[in-house]
Amino acid sequence: MLPALPGAVVEEIAAFGRYAASRGWVPATSGNFSRRVDARHAAVTRSGIDKGAIAPGDVAVIAIDEPVPPRLSAETPLHLARYRSDAAVGAVFHVHTVAATVLSRLYEREGVVRTDGLEMHKAIGVRTHESTVEIPIFANDQDTFALAARVEARLGADPAVPGYLLAGHGIYAWGATAADARRHLEGLEFLLACHLEERRLR
Ligand SMILES: [Zn+2]
């Protein structure tokens, strides 16, 4: 028996969707968002919906440990894998930004995008700007079950960065709460945008 979908969870997901849409991060119904409901369940967005206008019917509660039901995003396994790997993960947000899409292609062979010396490192839990952050990149794969297994194997029990890139695709970020996941995503996106801008100017 699945738990009911809490209205507050829908509102958190919808609020993030409106924000992401306002930034141009979820073009053409792309992106997907999820929020942990309890230890064994998560609320996830359905496939093909306008992420800037999410209604209660656009969000489904599913079991974290069971097969993904139909009509959900093909990327749902990537969300569920994060909840399974870390009980502290409470929200996972995935968007398609230009900086994430472009840089993940440029650095796919290296497997990381590095940023250094940026104050914004603090937004993702690094103590000082005097640091180098390595944002992992994974090759995109339509087999999202296999992809999720590769992602979790590399991230390990305590990922240094609360997010990763899929090459030519976009960015995932997570946090204990929806606010934490949003802050991490904003921070990572800012780092990527700065990196892209610097590359253009050099
Ligand atoms: Zn995507």
Side-chain angles (χ1 to χ4, degrees):
M1 189 56 184
L2 292 169
L5 174 61
V9 165
V10 174
E11 185 41 39
E12 279 185 332
I13 289 174
F16 180 76
R18 289 190 293 273
Y19 168 76
S22 77
R23 303 291 305 266
W25 290 355
V26 284
T29 77
S30 64
N32 33 78
F33 319 136
S34 65
R35 182 80 172 90
R36 187 189 286 278
V37 173
D38 61 31
R40 293 180 44 242
H41 301 91
V44 298
T45 48
R46 294 190 190 279
S47 175
I49 55 161
D50 177 356
K51 302 304 184 304
I54 292 173
D58 298 331
V59 180
V61 174
I62 62 172
I64 289 167
D65 276 324
E66 288 170 26
V68 178
R71 288 189 57 224
L72 292 177
S73 165
E75 294 180 53
T76 303
L78 295 164
H79 291 251
L80 299 186
R82 283 279 67 224
Y83 294 116
R84 274 199 299 272
S85 291
D86 186 350
V89 171
V92 180
F93 294 150
H94 164 59
V95 297
H96 291 203
T97 73
V98 171
T101 304
V102 171
L103 290 174
S104 62
R105 284 162 61 86
L106 288 175
Y107 295 107
E108 181 174 2
R109 206 184 308 175
E110 288 90 331
V112 290
V113 183
R114 290 187 182 86
T115 66
D116 58 83
L118 296 177
E119 181 70 13
M120 188 59 77
H121 287 177
K122 292 181 186 171
I124 56 166
V126 178
R127 263 172 217 280
T128 167
H129 71 280
E130 295 175 296
S131 52
T132 299
V133 163
E134 295 194 339
I135 305 166
I137 304 171
F138 297 88
N140 199 18
D141 190 339
Q142 300 303 320
D143 181 348
T144 50
F145 291 95
L147 178 55
R150 282 199 298 280
V151 167
E152 296 305 323
R154 179 171 162 195
L155 292 181
D158 187 18
V161 171
Y164 62 83
L165 307 182
L166 296 180
H169 180 162
I171 178 168
Y172 275 79
W174 55 86
T177 65
D180 289 338
R182 172 173 158 172
R183 191 178 69 254
H184 291 156
L185 185 55
E186 285 178 337
L188 289 167
E189 172 57 23
F190 183 87
L191 297 176
L192 294 169
C194 287
H195 190 103
L196 186 58
E197 195 66 21
E198 284 181 9
R199 261 191 78 122
R200 274 204 203 100
L201 293 171
R202 271 186 189 137

